[in-house]
Amino acid sequence: MPANPETPVPPLPPAQQSEFSFRVGKRLSESCSPSAAQVSANGGEFLGRTGTITTPHGEIQTPAFIAVGTKATVKSVLPESVAELGAQAVLANAYHLYLQPGADILDEAGGLGAFMNWHGPTFTDSGGFQVMSLGSGFKKVIDMKSVDNSGPDDAVAPGKERLAHVDEEGVWFKSHLNGDRHRFSPEISMNVQHQIGADIMFAFDELTTLQNSRGYQEESLERTRRWAERCITEHFRLTSERAGKPYQALFGVIQGAQYEDLRRKACRDLGAMNFDGFGIGGALEKENLGTIVRWCNEELPENKPRHLLGISEPDDIFTAIENGADTFDCVSPTRVARNSAFYHPTGRYNLSGAMYKRDFGPLQEGCDCYACLNYSRAYIHHLFKAKEMVSATLISIHNERFVVKMVDDARLAIEAGNFFEFKAETLGQYYS
């Protein structure tokens, strides 16, 4: 039967696509045998699993926390230290690197990893987050709490100017650096990300918020689907054109906000496309995070990895893992470090408090990170009060290690069959 001329024919995958793979390891539902009561409380079957992502620059054992290096650096932390603390991969931001120093510079340097002296796997996001943050949001994080779509869809934060304008072909951005206007489209995002050279890229999408109306969510979801098709076509064209380069995997991004039918539709639409994996993005109500992740993973191909964008709080991580997310990223560990906050098994604390002035113990007893093995709370407290930049470096090292190790231990707990006990103990302590 001839193809509908209005339906685009998907491009054939390039031969290099075999350089990327994902293998499922242990399944949570099998290794830990959750009870009927646990399954019922979760709202459905547990879809968590361990696995191995293979890239041209190494393997990622999943579940795994991916350290964020927005501008080709994990803020205040040397790449050597990022490797030492156990991070398996880093994620950079395509939009920011496009503005500075320019994607062509990274291409000439041999790609993101070579440019920043990072020898492991790398990710780049597409610039889709900036559609929201420079458009209506003006927030460095997504609002996961308030659902209020009573206002106009084109509203902006009070006292702010909209710096991103969406149309069918793409987005016009106004640079936050110098006010210059820049055009991003699926094709431009693919070109930028191919030049940056990360092992895993994300398709260009429109990130909506919990404040957008149902009608706009539907319109945006369809636009993201069309952009996904364009991303695949351009990705395969560039892969063939740059045949001497290592293969770069492309993940589709699932939107749909808090709506089950939209999330499932997005997963079915993009799951049928020739993506190497998927990112679960968009506005997620915190209280429904696990449910939304499960909706998506019930629909997505089981043999491809799923990355949950922008998550790092311990309860969110455990909820996402047990519902089938394989990798995560978030800027929070280094962002809070710059305000003196450090993670501890019993919660998050601010080192700026006077109680730490004469506290000569480590940030966390028993922690094996460089900061805890070599420096005291009193010293880092002094550095912060003296406005010395090294304070952010030391706390960031500890915070990144804390989250990386927590996810690593969750992976080991799935393998060992005691995930639910480990989760209860960890969260019971942290939120006590």
Side-chain angles (χ1 to χ4, degrees):
M1 183 175 177
N4 184 334
E6 295 181 0
T7 302
V9 178
L12 294 173
Q16 302 100 300
Q17 197 167 21
S18 61
E19 296 177 34
F20 177 89
S21 66
F22 175 67
R23 176 176 55 82
V24 175
K26 283 277 185 73
R27 300 181 193 281
L28 176 61
S29 60
E30 297 170 356
S31 69
C32 298
S33 301
S35 67
Q38 286 174 311
V39 172
S40 177
N42 188 55
E45 294 294 331
F46 290 99
L47 302 177
R49 73 269 182 94
T50 65
T52 303
I53 298 172
T54 301
T55 80
H57 291 94
E59 293 184 343
I60 304 170
Q61 302 301 319
T62 65
F65 180 73
I66 311 303
V68 176
T70 300
K71 300 178 182 178
T73 177
V74 176
K75 283 191 183 298
S76 78
V77 182
L78 288 171
E80 292 85 349
S81 298
V82 176
E84 186 179 90
L85 63 83
Q88 299 183 66
V90 297
L91 180 147
N93 183 285
Y95 172 78
H96 285 288
L97 292 177
Y98 160 80
L99 290 181
Q100 190 180 57
D104 59 318
I105 301 295
L106 278 80
D107 197 17
E108 190 175 334
L112 173 63
F115 186 59
M116 66 180 290
N117 194 33
W118 172 260
H119 304 294
T122 51
F123 291 63
T124 45
D125 59 14
S126 66
F129 181 83
Q130 280 66 41
V131 178
M132 183 279 293
S133 64
L134 297 178
S136 62
F138 293 98
K139 294 181 180 180
K140 295 182 179 179
V141 295
I142 300 176
D143 182 1
M144 295 176 63
K145 296 179 181 178
S146 57
V147 178
D148 178 11
N149 50 27
S150 60
D153 286 310
D154 59 353
V156 298
K160 298 288 186 177
E161 173 194 1
R162 178 179 287 274
L163 301 180
H165 298 269
V166 180
D167 57 53
E168 175 56 32
E169 293 304 309
V171 181
W172 281 106
F173 289 107
K174 184 175 180 180
S175 170
H176 63 286
L177 297 177
N178 58 14
D180 287 351
R181 293 182 79 231
H182 298 277
R183 182 64 164 169
F184 255 54
S185 66
E187 292 76 17
I188 292 172
S189 178
M190 286 295 93
N191 273 269
V192 167
Q193 291 189 76
H194 270 266
Q195 286 188 306
I196 292 172
D199 294 299
I200 296 171
M201 311 175 291
F202 289 93
F204 192 56
D205 63 309
E206 181 183 3
L207 172 57
T208 57
T209 74
L210 294 175
Q211 281 69 52
N212 289 118
S213 66
R214 164 74 192 217
Y216 191 84
Q217 298 286 5
E218 293 174 354
E219 177 186 328
S220 174
L221 196 75
E222 181 62 15
R223 179 161 41 243
T224 289
R225 183 193 66 78
R226 292 191 294 267
W227 286 2
E229 292 176 337
R230 290 165 56 187
C231 282
I232 289 177
T233 299
E234 184 67 3
H235 165 54
F236 285 164
R237 186 189 72 79
L238 289 167
T239 299
S240 299
E241 186 179 279
R242 296 162 58 88
K245 302 282 187 180
Y247 179 72
Q248 296 174 254
L250 179 61
F251 284 23
V253 180
I254 306 302
Q255 296 291 349
Q258 69 270 34
Y259 300 102
E260 179 176 3
D261 60 329
L262 298 187
R263 286 284 180 179
R264 290 187 183 275
K265 180 182 187 303
C267 291
R268 290 192 294 269
D269 287 346
L270 272 64
M273 299 181 192
N274 204 359
F275 285 112
D276 299 291
F278 300 92
I280 300 174
L284 299 167
E285 287 179 273
K286 184 178 176 72
E287 63 183 31
N288 293 324
L289 184 144
T291 300
I292 294 171
V293 171
R294 179 172 51 78
W295 290 340
C296 294
N297 291 332
E298 285 173 348
E299 301 287 348
L300 290 171
E302 193 180 16
N303 63 343
K304 294 184 179 183
R306 304 116 174 206
H307 180 91
L308 184 57
L309 292 145
I311 295 296
S312 75
E313 288 303 307
D315 56 340
D316 295 333
I317 284 177
F318 278 99
T319 298
I321 287 174
E322 64 192 17
N323 284 287
D326 299 305
T327 52
F328 321 82
D329 75 273
C330 193
V331 299
S332 185
T334 55
R335 172 173 292 150
V336 301
R338 296 193 293 279
N339 292 311
S340 88
F342 68 97
Y343 296 138
H344 187 274
T346 59
R348 198 172 87 184
Y349 302 95
N350 286 317
L351 200 59
S352 58
M355 61 187 291
Y356 298 110
K357 190 172 185 177
R358 289 181 170 83
D359 185 340
F360 300 104
L363 294 175
Q364 176 189 332
E365 291 287 350
C367 178
D368 59 3
C369 81
Y370 175 81
C372 288
L373 291 176
N374 292 281
Y375 297 96
S376 69
R377 292 175 174 181
Y379 178 64
I380 304 173
H381 166 88
H382 154 68
L383 293 175
F384 182 78
K385 288 297 187 180
K387 297 184 174 12
E388 292 290 345
M389 292 183 289
V390 176
S391 67
T393 296
L394 294 174
I395 303 174
S396 293
I397 287 172
H398 170 73
N399 286 353
E400 290 284 354
R401 175 58 181 159
F402 182 91
V403 180
V404 164
K405 185 176 187 301
M406 182 176 64
V407 178
D408 286 350
D409 287 346
R411 179 176 69 248
L412 295 174
I414 295 175
E415 296 279 355
N418 62 350
F419 173 83
F420 294 109
E421 295 82 355
F422 174 67
K423 172 190 173 184
E425 179 183 353
T426 302
L427 297 185
Q429 274 191 289
Y430 191 83
Y431 294 105
S432 61

